Amino acid sequence: MNDLCVLGLGYIGLPTASIFATKGKRVLGVDISPAVVETINTGRIHIQEPDLDVLVRAAVQSGNLRAATEPAPAAVFILAVPTPFIVQSDGSRTPDLAYVEAATRALAPHVRAGNLVILESTSPVGTTEKVKAWLEAELARLGRDVPAGLLYAHCPERILPGQMLKELVSNDRIAGGLTPAAAAQAKALYETFCTAQIFLTDARTAEMAKLTENAFRDVNIAFANELSLICDRLRIDVWELIRLANRHPRVKILQPGPGVGGHCIAVDPWFIVAAAPAEARLLRTAREVNDHKPHHVVAQVRAAAAQHAQPVVACLGLAFKANVDDLRESPAVEITAALADSGLQVLAVEPHVQALPPSLSGKVQLVGLEAALATANVVVLLVDHRAFGSLTLAALAGKTLIDTRGQIR
Ligand code: SAJ
């Protein structure tokens, strides 16, 4: 029998399944995509993350990691599926737990007495309780009794894209159980590879802790983004301002950018806002400030383009942040699409992808950095990729530069 069955082989499930496998656990990785399953079973990967290819290859070659489209019995089940939000007609965002519910229900034929079910997906408060209720409802539907001693815990991941493998091992973790025994068993499991501290708590506190961490960062980035708008109005260099203010021993302002992207920080605060709308006023405003920033950048670029008789805009970077290939919820994609939709000729440079996402294909041309700089007269730095690190103001002489990351000096 498998020691572990990990449901969802994306940015969290795949590294987690692989690291357990390299530590000697027999792991079945499950994904609904046959293409993902086939890729992993041949020791390759479908996402980009430094050193993940080496880890997955080692896990598969050891014989301890196997991928399939259906779960199978295991001692521990880990749910690592997406938890997006749904935009309601009134503009509010509510969590979409459909993937968690479907993955939980898929476990029902396979759970046995004493199994531990761990929810790793970032989830609204109360989701671990729902996992238990969904599993019990599905067992009833199948005519099965609830196996004795099933345990449930929430152990949110905290790893930073771009540094996942390091942080997987060295970040402190939280193990929140529906019961103390569940939390203790989850802790014992993660000690297989986690060299940092693992703190025990209840599932609701663990769920809220994960949301709180990302909401904290969102509010702090919103502060920086709001400062950048204020500085634009007051004709102050925001980067210089932040550098100077951060010399105060208790001030640590983050960096403004084109907006906040990715599947975590731009999403998770909404789970708190949806659960406590009257109280979460600052969190909602931070989301609105960060979501507004791409519109500000689009307006800046359009104003700059209007100064040229035949404007050609080069958008440098499409990923949601530096040195990753992830275009999900990327403000850079949103800005590039909006510029193309406004009728401008737009070239996109993204060294981390081979093809444009659907929202851009047919609208903009994906080109190399040199080709873009040879043609464009308006250059918009959207992502501070290392690949753009050698760009200087001198090299861009004669062009209008909009540097949303404050990188080019
Ligand atoms: N950003 C700024 N200015 C900054 C820092 C970030 O504009 O000073 C932007 C980035 O460009 C990006 C977005 O914010 O668009 C988010 O990037 P990030 O690097 O702050 O965070 P993520 O989304 O890659 O990962 C976060 C991390 N959470 C925290 O740092 C509290 C990570 O530890 C979590 O595991 C991850 O979310 C997750 O999966 O929840």
Side-chain angles (χ1 to χ4, degrees), residues 33-51:
S33 160
V36 167
V37 166
E38 198 202 315
T39 304
I40 292 165
N41 279 334
T42 54
R44 293 173 296 128
I45 56 174
H46 60 292
I47 48 185
Q48 192 185 316
E49 173 66 26
D51 301 326

Side-chain angles (χ1 to χ4, degrees), residues 104-181:
T104 303
R105 288 183 184 274
L107 301 184
H110 308 290
V111 283
R112 303 283 181 269
N115 280 174
L116 170 63
V117 179
I118 297 176
L119 175 66
E120 271 216 24
S121 316
T122 304
S123 300
V125 173
T127 309
T128 312
E129 289 154 23
K130 285 187 177 155
V131 165
K132 177 172 185 279
W134 286 323
L135 188 55
E136 290 178 356
E138 190 64 14
L139 285 163
R141 202 183 65 79
L142 298 178
R144 286 192 64 197
D145 290 336
V146 177
L150 281 186
L151 296 170
Y152 299 87
H154 180 53
C155 300
E157 55 72 25
R158 290 165 144 177
I159 55 185
L160 191 74
Q163 305 185 31
M164 284 183 161
L165 298 195
K166 185 179 152 283
E167 294 207 353
L168 196 57
V169 173
S170 62
N171 282 2
D172 286 349
R173 291 191 80 113
I174 300 174
L178 283 192
T179 58

Side-chain angles (χ1 to χ4, degrees), residues 12 122 157-161 167 171 210 213-214 217 221 225 254-265 268 320-322 331 405:
I12 302 306
T122 304
E157 55 72 25
R158 290 165 144 177
I159 55 185
L160 191 74
E167 294 207 353
N171 282 2
K210 168 70 197 196
E213 291 157 18
N214 281 351
R217 196 155 167 85
I221 299 169
N225 277 334
L254 294 180
Q255 298 299 300
V260 168
H263 191 65
C264 307
I265 293 187
D268 302 352
F320 87 90
K321 65 174 194 173
R405 301 277 182 177

Side-chain angles (χ1 to χ4, degrees), residues 320-395:
F320 87 90
K321 65 174 194 173
N323 308 317
V324 301
D325 71 337
D326 194 344
L327 307 188
R328 294 180 300 171
E329 311 275 341
S330 172
V333 171
E334 184 185 341
I335 291 164
T336 307
L339 291 173
D341 288 342
S342 75
L344 287 166
Q345 186 188 342
V346 180
L347 308 172
V349 182
E350 179 43 80
H352 295 270
V353 302
Q354 262 80 55
L356 289 167
S359 64
L360 293 181
S361 70
K363 287 185 192 173
V364 313
Q365 230 185 315
L366 184 65
V367 298
L369 181 59
E370 270 182 29
L373 296 184
T375 326
N377 43 25
V378 178
V379 174
V380 191
L381 183 85
L382 293 171
V383 188
D384 43 339
H385 286 316
R386 266 189 298 274
F388 304 143
S390 57
L391 277 178
T392 57
L393 284 177

